[in-house]
């Protein structure tokens, strides 16, 4: 099946080279993650659709680099906008939950609910191909909101027989098994480093970031802080650490 990628002109620390919009289908066109409101990007998408018949606009999640163009584009193309739930700049015409087919003849896309990066995150599966949104990016680490959910979603994807991934940012991935394993291992490694930092005396998100992300460009520290916060909450839910008077400490440490 024909799959075209249209790169939005929004590169940055959160978006890598920019958001990938995908146009999928032979006779019809399903648009995945149209991206931010941007006239040039919109014209590029319409150019790629060409004489295919537009059938649906789908968003993987409602972050501002993925969803804001979805409703206006869908309205003008006369097709429904689909997603897991409403977000700041997105209102779905139809809700997709885990296992929902998008319902476009000729494009058998099925939603896979993959919470973790965000609660509303969907991957979209087309046979052995998976559009991964921000759940898996082109080989780079992902900002995670809920670590336990994120790992659970990766484990689910690992059970699918996938041959190719199309991420929301960065290049296509031809070795899904290795990449999914890398993401799981990377998260567990971070968890180990974060727990070690708390054991060594770090008591706040900022202090943990200073230790664990000291090799990383400080401009990315606010992003890292969100993942560290999510990891600390998971470790607390696991009963390994706890917060006392606003300071994180290892469970059982009475100091
Ligand atoms: Zn995102």
């Amino acid at each position: 099946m024909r799959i075209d990628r249209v790169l939005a002109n929004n590169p940055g620390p959160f978006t890598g080279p920019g958001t990938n919009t995908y146009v999928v289908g032979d006779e019809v066109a399903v648009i995945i993650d149209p991206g931010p409101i941007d006239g040039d990007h919109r014209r590029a998408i319409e150019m790629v659709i060409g004489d295919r018949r537009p059938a649906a606009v789908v968003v993987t999640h409602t972050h501002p680099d993925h969803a804001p163009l979805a409703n206006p584009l869908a309205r003008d193309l006369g097709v429904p906008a689909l997603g897991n739930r409403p977000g700041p700049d997105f209102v779905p015409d139809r809700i997709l939950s885990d296992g929902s087919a998008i319902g476009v003849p000729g494009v058998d896309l099925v939603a896979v609910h993959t919470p973790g990066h965000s609660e509303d995150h969907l991957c979209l599966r087309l046979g052995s191909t998976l559009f991964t949104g921000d759940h898996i990016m082109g080989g780079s680490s992902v900002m995670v909101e809920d670590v336990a959910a994120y790992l659970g979603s990766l484990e689910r994807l690992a059970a699918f027989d996938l041959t190719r991934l199309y991420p929301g940012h960065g290049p296509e991935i031809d070795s899904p098994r290795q990449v999914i394993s890398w993401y799981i291992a990377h998260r567990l490694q971070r968890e180990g480093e974060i727990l070690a930092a708390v054991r060594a005396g770090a008591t706040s998100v900022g202090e943990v970031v200073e230790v664990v992300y000291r090799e990383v460009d400080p401009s990315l520290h606010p992003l890292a802080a969100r993942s560290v916060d999510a990891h600390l909450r998971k470790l607390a839910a696991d009963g390994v650490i706890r917060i006392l008077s606003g300071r994180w400490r290892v469970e059982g440490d009475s100091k």
Side-chain angles (χ1 to χ4, degrees):
M1 182 167 308
R2 183 172 162 191
I3 296 171
D4 296 296
R5 180 168 73 108
V6 189
L7 178 63
N9 184 23
N10 61 340
F14 296 83
T15 56
T19 302
N20 291 327
T21 298
Y22 293 102
V23 178
V24 185
D26 294 322
E27 314 281 306
V28 296
V30 173
I31 298 98
I32 298 175
D33 283 350
I37 304 277
D38 173 331
D40 288 341
H41 184 57
R42 181 191 177 122
R43 278 184 286 283
I45 294 170
E46 287 169 346
M47 192 92 84
V48 164
I49 294 171
D51 49 20
R52 287 178 281 179
R53 183 173 56 77
V57 175
V58 189
V59 302
T60 57
H61 64 304
T62 57
H63 282 167
D65 51 328
H66 291 258
L69 186 57
N71 284 130
L73 181 66
R75 200 178 310 120
D76 291 356
L77 294 174
V79 302
L82 314 178
N84 182 249
R85 66 188 67 171
D89 289 304
F90 178 71
V91 180
D93 297 313
R94 184 155 64 81
I95 298 284
L96 297 176
S97 43
D98 189 50
S100 298
I102 61 157
V104 173
V107 183
D108 292 330
L109 278 167
V110 176
V112 184
H113 185 218
T114 48
H117 169 72
S118 63
E119 176 57 34
D120 65 353
H121 198 284
L122 301 173
C123 290
L124 296 155
R125 189 178 175 199
L126 182 74
S128 65
T129 292
L130 191 76
F131 296 89
T132 64
D134 282 359
H135 189 65
I136 292 174
M137 300 182 22
S140 64
S141 175
V142 165
M143 194 281 293
V144 175
E145 211 167 73
D146 181 329
V147 177
Y150 184 73
L151 285 166
S153 296
L154 284 171
E155 298 285 359
R156 270 195 78 200
L157 296 185
F160 292 143
D161 196 13
L162 299 171
T163 55
R164 183 169 271 220
L165 308 179
Y166 289 92
H169 306 274
E172 295 142 45
I173 295 162
D174 288 324
S175 50
R177 266 176 209 288
Q178 290 92 315
V179 169
I180 292 168
S181 303
W182 180 85
Y183 272 85
I184 292 171
H186 177 68
R187 267 306 126 209
L188 295 175
Q189 186 195 332
R190 277 281 184 250
E191 178 170 291
E193 290 166 355
I194 288 164
L195 179 56
V198 176
R199 285 212 170 104
T203 62
S204 67
V205 170
E207 286 172 12
V208 173
V209 169
E210 289 297 326
V211 176
V212 174
Y213 290 84
R214 63 180 174 276
E215 315 269 297
V216 173
D217 187 331
S219 71
L220 290 171
H221 281 188
L223 186 64
R226 292 168 66 179
S227 289
V228 165
D229 182 56
H231 271 287
L232 291 170
R233 283 184 280 112
K234 175 183 180 287
L235 287 165
D238 292 345
V240 181
I241 63 173
R242 69 194 161 113
I243 196 160
L244 201 67
S245 311
R247 296 160 73 83
W248 288 104
R249 59 189 65 212
V250 177
E251 188 61 64
D253 179 355
S254 55
K255 284 200 299 285

